[in-house]
Amino acid sequence: MTSPSPARRRFALFALAAAVVCVCLPLAEPALWTADRGLSLKILVMVDRNVVPVAILVLALPLGVLIDRTRRRSVLVVSALLGAAVVTSVAAAGAAGTSALPHLLVVITASGVLTMVTGLGADAYLPSVVRRERLLPANALLILLPQIVVVPVTLARVLWWGWAFLFSIGLALAAAAALFRGVRAAERSPPPRTGLWRETAEAIRFTARHPALRAIALYLVLSALFAGIVDAAAGAAWETALNGLSGTQTGFPWWLRIARVHGPSVIGALLAVLLHRRLGTFRLAWWALLASAPFTLLLALSGTGPGRIWYVLGSAVPAAGTVIAAVALLSHRQAVTPHRLLGRTGALLVVLTTVADGGADLLEWPAERLAELGGVAPAALATVAALAPAVPLLRARRAAADHDAGAAAASEAGAPTPTKG
């Protein structure tokens, strides 16, 4: 039996480490919230909704510069170790009976920032781990792997909270750091340092001038801005489908619950792998949005006939299209962005999305009031909101194709420009 190639072993270590971090950090959050029952839940909610986004908004761009200044593997190792340290510190303080509110607030904020840094570092490191033509399957696999853990855990309901659980999360994050340390991928030397502001401005200029990245940035902003409208319509449809025609709660079968929550990630990732070679990454993204978003109209039927089926289709199919678009656009961005800018451009997109999330709060109240009225109007508005983010991608499709063709021609001529993913 032949042993796997070094490239496959390298990606296997990277994927396993990334999956461990992807599962552990979100699982640690509710455990941190319930670490000390004597602490005020309102304060924790305020920190999670206000302090953490502000911290990300302030630190994202400087940390993006730091990621581009250093080896990406080192960033992933250090961030996983820091995550293990902060989570274990809460477990140790609780076990010793010395837990305090300031300590817990700092850890919750640090956990949110470390989650962002690990995501940025992994996205920037992946093009060094796999070949560019393998970026989309690799990103799809990175979405599928956490589901292998999350779905069985959800079905078995084996999660527990407490100091032992936080200790186990810390150990798992330390193991992820060791796995990241074992990834041996050749990285280009970091670019010369020209100062924080100049390096940040370089990423902003590149994103603003590149047709595909500019369209991706607008897509992410519109998606975050209109997400509240779609969520409000889906929430009202959920209540209608749950109550059924009789007006009493009937409950959802377990398989419908799994399909609604985890199905879009699995189906979206698999479809992205199957279709990307035929359509290309950028084209796949807007085709997925145009094909899936109209299913949102089915939310209006959640109170008629098999309402639960209509609700699942109206919520899960657009969510699967969003997953396909996310995998495709991330892979395209990794392929067309110079290696030296991957951390900074990713951080810029995080900043724009965080700002748009704040603006989405302004639309949340009117969207919820409209959803309470019922009828076709909330679902129709949600469908428009789901289709709107595809507009920048449609407008940029020709410019992005021309830009990629020019980059390919320059690459054949010997210029070190990125090629199409």
Side-chain angles (χ1 to χ4, degrees), residues 46-56 105 109:
M46 181 191 69
V47 170
D48 186 65
R49 292 185 178 180
N50 299 293
V51 178
V52 174
V54 171
I56 291 175
L105 298 183
T109 305

Coordinates of all heavy atoms in Angstrom, one line a residue, residues 46-56 105 109:
M46 N -24.3 42.1 26.3 CA -23.9 43.4 25.8 C -22.4 43.4 25.3 O -22.1 43.9 24.2 CB -23.9 44.4 26.9 CG -23.5 45.8 26.5 SD -23.3 46.9 28.0 CE -21.8 46.2 28.7
V47 N -21.6 42.6 26.0 CA -20.2 42.5 25.5 C -20.2 41.7 24.2 O -19.5 42.2 23.2 CB -19.4 41.7 26.6 CG1 -18.0 41.3 26.0 CG2 -19.2 42.6 27.8
D48 N -20.9 40.7 24.0 CA -20.9 39.9 22.8 C -21.4 40.7 21.6 O -20.9 40.5 20.5 CB -21.7 38.6 23.0 CG -21.6 37.7 21.8 OD1 -20.5 37.2 21.6 OD2 -22.7 37.5 21.1
R49 N -22.5 41.5 21.8 CA -23.1 42.2 20.7 C -22.4 43.6 20.4 O -22.6 44.1 19.3 CB -24.6 42.4 21.0 CG -25.4 41.2 21.0 CD -26.9 41.5 21.2 NE -27.7 40.2 21.2 CZ -29.0 40.2 21.3 NH1 -29.7 41.4 21.5 NH2 -29.6 39.1 21.3
N50 N -21.7 44.1 21.4 CA -21.2 45.5 21.2 C -19.7 45.5 21.3 O -19.0 46.0 20.4 CB -21.8 46.4 22.2 CG -23.3 46.6 22.0 OD1 -23.8 47.1 21.1 ND2 -24.1 46.1 23.0
V51 N -19.1 45.0 22.4 CA -17.7 45.1 22.6 C -16.9 44.3 21.6 O -15.9 44.7 21.0 CB -17.3 44.7 24.1 CG1 -15.8 44.8 24.3 CG2 -18.1 45.6 25.0
V52 N -17.3 43.0 21.4 CA -16.6 42.2 20.5 C -16.6 42.7 19.0 O -15.5 42.8 18.4 CB -17.2 40.7 20.5 CG1 -16.5 39.9 19.4 CG2 -17.0 40.1 21.9
P53 N -17.7 43.2 18.5 CA -17.6 43.8 17.1 C -16.7 45.0 17.1 O -16.0 45.2 16.1 CB -19.1 44.1 16.8 CG -19.9 43.2 17.7 CD -19.1 43.0 18.9
V54 N -16.8 45.8 18.1 CA -15.9 47.0 18.2 C -14.4 46.6 18.2 O -13.6 47.2 17.5 CB -16.2 47.9 19.4 CG1 -15.2 49.0 19.5 CG2 -17.6 48.5 19.2
A55 N -14.1 45.6 19.0 CA -12.7 45.1 19.1 C -12.3 44.6 17.7 O -11.2 44.8 17.2 CB -12.6 44.0 20.1
I56 N -13.2 43.8 17.0 CA -12.8 43.3 15.7 C -12.7 44.5 14.7 O -11.7 44.5 13.9 CB -13.9 42.4 15.2 CG1 -13.9 41.1 16.1 CG2 -13.8 42.0 13.7 CD1 -15.0 40.1 15.8
L105 N -15.1 38.8 30.8 CA -15.4 39.7 29.7 C -14.2 39.8 28.8 O -14.3 39.8 27.6 CB -15.8 41.1 30.3 CG -17.0 41.1 31.1 CD1 -17.3 42.6 31.5 CD2 -18.2 40.5 30.4
T109 N -14.1 38.6 24.8 CA -13.7 39.5 23.7 C -12.5 38.9 23.0 O -12.4 38.9 21.8 CB -13.3 40.9 24.3 OG1 -14.4 41.4 25.1 CG2 -12.9 41.8 23.2

